[in-house]
């Protein structure tokens, strides 16, 4: 979808802070994070709703792996997961280490995001 923000991120037209990528999926840091390591996991194919992704099993297998990875790296037992889906019309799952917000959801500066991306790379 030409006007889709996440499709532009997938194509590299907009910079993102990737922590994981394969042929089918991409995981990158939310630039308006609630906590350190706040990640968005998306399929590369443009599908509006998570529930309509044809390989939902594969999608959530990866979401689980990434959540366990974030738990290990962050040291927080709790990794919040959220399928909200109304901010950007491209399927995405939020993963947020820590049960309380460390950040207030304002945009983080690039240096901080870069450091977090290095730390949380899977
Ligand atoms: Zn899209």
């Amino acid at each position: 979808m030409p006007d889709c923000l996440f499709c532009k991120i997938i194509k590299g037209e907009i910079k993102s802070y990737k922590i994981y990528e394969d042929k089918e999926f991409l995981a990158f840091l939310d630039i308006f994070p609630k906590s350190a390591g706040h990640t968005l996991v998306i399929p590369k194919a443009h599908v509006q709703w998570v529930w309509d992704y044809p390989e939902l099993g594969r999608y959530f297998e990866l979401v689980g792996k990434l959540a366990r990875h974030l738990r290990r790296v962050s040291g927080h037992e709790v990794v919040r997961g959220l399928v909200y889906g109304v901010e950007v019309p491209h399927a995405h799952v939020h993963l947020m280490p820590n049960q309380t917000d460390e950040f207030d959801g304002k945009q983080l500066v690039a240096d901080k995001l870069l450091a977090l991306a290095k730390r949380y790379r899977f």
Side-chain angles (χ1 to χ4, degrees):
M1 287 274 281
D3 289 335
C4 172
L5 175 65
F6 289 171
C7 284
K8 286 180 181 170
I9 284 176
I10 291 159
K11 282 187 274 180
E13 292 171 13
I14 292 176
K15 183 176 173 53
S16 67
Y17 299 87
K18 295 177 188 175
I19 66 158
Y20 175 82
E21 182 170 22
D22 64 24
K23 279 187 296 194
E24 196 176 4
F25 302 104
L26 178 65
F28 56 96
L29 297 178
D30 194 318
I31 63 169
F32 303 100
K34 296 286 191 191
S35 68
H38 182 165
T39 294
L40 299 171
V41 190
I42 67 172
K44 287 185 171 176
H46 181 90
V47 175
Q48 181 167 4
W49 304 109
V50 166
W51 321 127
D52 295 327
Y53 190 67
E55 298 293 344
L56 208 49
R58 273 215 295 271
Y59 190 4
F60 273 79
E61 210 171 294
L62 176 63
V63 168
K65 273 186 201 168
L66 287 167
R68 292 189 296 274
H69 167 74
L70 293 174
R71 187 169 60 192
R72 255 193 324 271
V73 175
S74 71
H76 292 293
E77 176 66 19
V78 175
V79 175
R80 290 171 287 167
L82 179 69
V83 176
Y84 189 56
V86 295
E87 319 99 308
V88 175
H90 182 127
H92 56 287
V93 176
H94 290 265
L95 290 174
M96 295 164 278
N98 202 347
Q99 67 182 39
T100 50
D101 294 343
E102 298 156 63
F103 304 130
D104 53 11
K106 287 196 190 116
Q107 186 164 357
L108 275 195
V109 295
D111 286 1
K112 178 84 176 160
L113 284 162
L114 203 59
L116 286 168
K118 276 188 190 147
R119 179 167 180 218
Y120 283 93
R121 192 154 294 142
F122 181 60

